[in-house]
Amino acid sequence: MVNMKNKSFPIDKNRGSALVAAVIFALLAGALVGSFLKLSTNEYRSASSAFYYNSLLNLAEAGAEEAAWCLNNDDWDTWDEKNALHQVKQYTDLNIGPYVAGDISVLAINYDSDTPTLVVEGKTQLPSSRSILKQIEIELSKRSLFANGMTAKDTLTFSGGSAKVDSYDSADGDYDSFFNRKDNGSIASMAVIIDAVDVANAEIYGYVATGGADPSVGPTGKIYGADTPLETDVDLNRVSTDFYAEFKEVDAPTLVSPDTAMEISGTLTIGDPSGFNEEHFHLSSLNIASNETLIIDGPVVIVVDDFVDVDGDIQITANGSVTFYVEGNFDIEGNGSVNNTNTPSSFVLYGTNDTPGVQKFNLHGNGALRGAVYAPNADLSLSGGGNSGEFLGATVAYEITVSGNYDFHYDEQLENFFGSDPSYKMITWRELTDNADRVPFDDIDNYLDTL
């Protein structure tokens, strides 16, 4: 029998080292797995937060679009008016993700002014019970119908002769080439094609804008201003190719007890010179012969279902103003003249035909017009051939053609003309990240009392 009592065995050092290494490896692997799980969790939370924050921004922008629609259509029936100055509306329980609902709060500050401000909020409570929100502030202003002298929805073409475009300010008096001539005779086309604006041999004392292509300029054509260096025919600082505009359709109003006939025999005077009563006419057509004169001596609105043909005169007194809504063609021919005052805004013509190119507005020969013409679906033709063919004011049309020796003078006063049914454009947009700047929608009444 072998005595094992005092017998010693050698220690396997390699086995012990392997065990230690395995333990260290397991610890490292556990640390890596833990770090990976923590990183994955953080990334999930970050992605989840980004998703919900983006959803809240979408909610806020949807609220802004709703408020802008109400501004443009003057429809606040479902809103809560505050202090006769502001409008508030809230939308709740909107689904923005699994088990998550969002709310929209909208405030329209000074909604009936020329420069309203919108504050919109998207807010939600996450499954973790954490509440998050986004607020944006948007400053708006009314959109001018006549930010340019001539604006074409499609092309704007000059041909033949030597047409001239410039500007003046009717607040300083009538147009005068020496004392009241300015270099803001701006013309624009939203078309992006080549020859969207063809200046040919015209003289543009102002600016030219297109939707994408450079304007075409003939051998004696000019685009310049008071600050243009001498001997420079085309001042590139006065040319832009990023023009964009929105053209709002105009419908003829429903008039209150309108007269349905207008008999002009020699001279006819309409309108209340006191200005207290606006006279209304709804006509099938209107023809003013070469020996006839229509005098506007007060505020008048005329809706015409078909054409207007002017060979005679439409005179507007210091007390008068007229707004036309015309579905058919409008022609000023021969020696016909419209509005011999120094106030183009006293004659406003809206084209109500909604089919592009069907309606025609023509000023031919010595025909002269002082007025504002807004007809985004009508073709406008200015054709000079006499000595006094000119247009003082501003126009918006579908296609514009200017031929012969025609003069166009943009009245800069019309830059602030918004029309009877204005739309709004965005001036500034910013996210409100500071609590001090945010609107407390939960305490909106007290907040509005501080404005």
Side-chain angles (χ1 to χ4, degrees):
M1 179 179 291
V2 179
N3 185 2
M4 304 291 291
K5 183 175 182 181
N6 296 315
K7 189 167 179 72
S8 61
F9 295 92
I11 298 175
D12 190 344
K13 295 181 179 181
N14 291 331
R15 181 179 297 177
S17 298
L19 181 61
V20 171
V23 170
I24 293 173
F25 178 80
L27 291 173
L28 290 173
L32 290 173
V33 171
S35 297
F36 176 77
L37 291 175
K38 184 177 181 180
L39 178 63
S40 299
T41 301
N42 290 338
E43 287 184 350
Y44 171 77
R45 289 175 178 173
S46 177
S48 180
S49 295
F51 168 79
Y52 287 116
Y53 273 118
N54 287 335
S55 296
L56 293 181
L57 186 59
N58 290 336
L59 288 180
E61 290 178 341
E65 290 179 2
E66 173 69 11
W69 185 92
C70 293
L71 279 169
N72 289 332
N73 293 276
D74 193 24
D75 184 354
W76 303 96
D77 289 345
T78 61
W79 291 61
D80 184 12
E81 187 177 67
K82 304 288 186 179
N83 304 336
L85 297 172
H86 320 299
Q87 296 280 0
V88 177
K89 189 168 185 178
Q90 293 184 308
Y91 306 84
T92 59
D93 295 328
L94 303 170
N95 185 12
I96 62 172
Y99 311 108
V100 178
D103 300 333
I104 300 175
S105 298
V106 189
L107 169 62
I109 301 172
N110 296 322
Y111 75 97
D112 202 26
S113 69
D114 290 346
T115 55
T117 298
L118 305 179
V119 179
V120 289
E121 176 185 274
K123 184 178 181 180
T124 191
Q125 187 168 330
L126 298 177
S128 62
S129 298
R130 183 166 63 99
S131 180
I132 59 174
L133 63 86
K134 285 269 189 180
Q135 276 194 12
I136 56 176
E137 178 189 79
I138 303 171
E139 294 180 346
L140 305 169
S141 71
K142 286 184 177 179
R143 188 188 304 275
S144 172
L145 292 184
F146 304 108
N148 298 294
M150 289 187 191
T151 302
K153 196 173 181 180
D154 196 45
T155 57
L156 199 166
T157 304
F158 293 82
S159 63
S162 56
K164 294 180 176 61
V165 176
D166 55 19
S167 70
Y168 77 110
D169 190 336
S170 61
D172 297 332
D174 203 355
Y175 174 81
D176 187 285
S177 59
F178 292 101
F179 302 108
N180 193 8
R181 183 178 188 245
K182 301 179 184 296
D183 63 348
N184 291 313
S186 51
I187 64 175
S189 163
M190 204 173 72
V192 299
I193 61 173
I194 296 175
D195 292 339
V197 172
D198 187 354
V199 173
N201 295 318
E203 179 181 310
I204 312 299
Y205 192 54
Y207 299 87
V208 176
T210 75
D214 289 330
S216 299
V217 182
T220 60
K222 296 185 68 175
I223 302 171
Y224 71 113
D227 56 354
T228 299
L230 294 175
E231 300 182 1
T232 298
D233 290 334
V234 178
D235 187 346
L236 296 180
N237 292 321
R238 290 176 168 266
V239 175
S240 62
T241 56
D242 58 353
F243 177 72
Y244 175 80
E246 294 182 3
F247 301 93
K248 187 172 184 178
E249 303 287 342
V250 176
D251 295 322
T254 301
L255 301 178
V256 177
S257 302
D259 289 329
T260 57
M262 184 181 293
E263 298 294 333
I264 304 175
S265 178
T267 299
L268 173 66
T269 299
I270 59 175
D272 177 6
S274 71
F276 290 120
N277 299 306
E278 183 179 77
E279 291 190 0
H280 293 170
F281 294 84
H282 192 155
L283 311 175
S284 59
S285 62
L286 175 61
N287 182 67
I288 303 174
S290 59
N291 60 343
E292 295 176 342
T293 299
L294 176 64
I295 299 176
I296 312 293
D297 195 28
V300 175
V301 176
I302 303 175
V303 173
V304 183
D305 294 332
D306 199 349
F307 67 89
V308 176
D309 196 349
V310 181
D311 287 314
D313 294 327
I314 298 178
Q315 297 181 6
I316 301 176
T317 70
N319 303 314
S321 65
V322 61
T323 301
F324 272 94
Y325 295 86
V326 180
E327 180 77 11
N329 295 343
F330 191 103
D331 290 292
I332 303 175
E333 300 179 296
N335 293 311
S337 68
V338 172
N339 186 10
N340 55 352
T341 70
N342 178 43
T343 311
S345 60
S346 64
F347 179 92
V348 179
L349 172 61
Y350 291 110
T352 58
N353 197 303
D354 59 6
T355 303
V358 171
Q359 192 173 26
K360 311 292 183 183
F361 287 1
N362 302 306
L363 277 72
H364 293 162
N366 287 325
L369 169 65
R370 284 173 169 83
V373 176
Y374 182 83
N377 293 312
D379 290 345
L380 172 66
S381 174
L382 307 178
S383 178
N387 298 317
S388 59
E390 64 177 356
F391 190 136
L392 296 94
T395 184
V396 173
Y398 186 71
E399 288 186 353
I400 299 177
T401 303
V402 183
S403 59
N405 301 321
Y406 208 94
D407 291 346
F408 186 95
H409 312 296
Y410 171 42
D411 179 10
E412 295 176 9
Q413 285 294 307
L414 292 173
E415 186 176 2
N416 298 316
F417 186 92
F418 307 117
S420 59
D421 188 19
S423 60
Y424 291 81
K425 62 181 179 180
M426 183 175 65
I427 302 300
T428 64
W429 186 103
R430 70 183 182 111
E431 183 179 350
L432 302 179
T433 57
D434 191 330
N435 284 331
D437 293 335
R438 287 176 172 171
V439 170
F441 280 98
D442 294 338
D443 192 22
I444 192 66
D445 290 320
N446 287 331
Y447 172 78
L448 292 176
D449 288 339
T450 66
L451 295 181

